[in-house]
Amino acid sequence: MIFGHISNPNPCSLPPPLEQALALLRETDFSRLDPGMVEVDGKKLYMQILDLTTKPVTENLPEVHRRYIDIQFLVSGDERIGIAPDNGTNPISESLLAERDIIFYQSAENESFIHMTPGNYAIFFPQDVHRPGCINQHSCNIRKVVVKVDVSTIN
């Protein structure tokens, strides 16, 4: 997992698709776009613009993806995201890998939380469990962008 703020330079040299995704986040005014999916490079790289309300941790299930890297970028609001390594022992609540490239876990062992404020991003790889959309201090409306990067494009 990589955590940062979009106004800072990339922490290290990243594979070109991740560099492209972060540049897109830096250059796009998401307040002018409607919620929904935006294709950038077909199914290799696309964005989901989401307007959500944060919920208690107990109402959000931890998740992982196998075919896509998630770059979660907070445009507005305040959110916590649970994070944990996928150690293979988390009980599965629901597996939708074939349909939606997602496994929901009932819980995440050794979970920690990061606090997301506008401009923060977190890059989650297939081995990173994450639980987005959690309340920080109180429930609030957030706008976030999730950039999906096909793992097969990363060399």
Side-chain angles (χ1 to χ4, degrees):
M1 187 207 120
I2 298 172
F3 176 74
H5 194 278
I6 203 69
S7 66
N8 295 331
N10 293 347
C12 58
S13 180
L14 298 170
L18 296 180
E19 295 275 1
Q20 178 185 5
L22 290 174
L24 192 64
L25 292 173
R26 283 185 183 96
E27 298 163 2
T28 305
D29 180 357
F30 291 103
S31 67
R32 295 176 175 246
L33 298 176
D34 291 330
M37 190 173 84
V38 177
E39 283 192 15
V40 177
D41 186 11
K43 293 295 181 188
K44 292 179 184 176
L45 179 71
Y46 65 94
M47 299 184 297
Q48 298 170 323
I49 302 168
L50 306 167
D51 290 332
L52 307 168
T53 302
T54 57
K55 299 178 185 175
V57 170
T58 56
E59 293 182 26
N60 290 326
L61 293 174
E63 62 188 57
V64 291
H65 312 283
R66 299 297 186 225
R67 293 189 313 265
Y68 286 95
I69 294 166
D70 260 14
I71 302 176
Q72 301 219 2
F73 173 67
L74 193 63
V75 177
S76 63
D78 186 46
E79 141 187 64
R80 285 190 325 148
I81 297 179
I83 57 171
D86 192 3
N87 56 18
T89 60
N90 296 318
I92 294 174
S93 175
E94 184 175 20
S95 179
L96 299 170
L97 280 178
E99 306 93 313
R100 295 180 35 215
D101 184 43
I102 194 166
I103 297 172
F104 291 106
Y105 290 130
Q106 293 172 17
S107 59
E109 187 176 334
N110 299 316
E111 187 175 25
S112 299
F113 286 84
I114 56 174
H115 180 200
M116 300 279 285
T117 59
N120 282 136
Y121 67 87
I123 303 175
F124 297 105
F125 297 91
Q127 68 272 14
D128 299 322
V129 177
H130 50 288
R131 185 191 311 239
C134 298
I135 289 172
N136 184 39
Q137 292 184 340
H138 54 81
S139 182
C140 71
N141 295 327
I142 63 172
R143 172 162 273 210
K144 71 185 307 177
V145 178
V146 179
V147 181
K148 302 294 237 174
V149 180
D150 188 318
V151 171
S152 70
T153 65
I154 305 297
N155 297 341

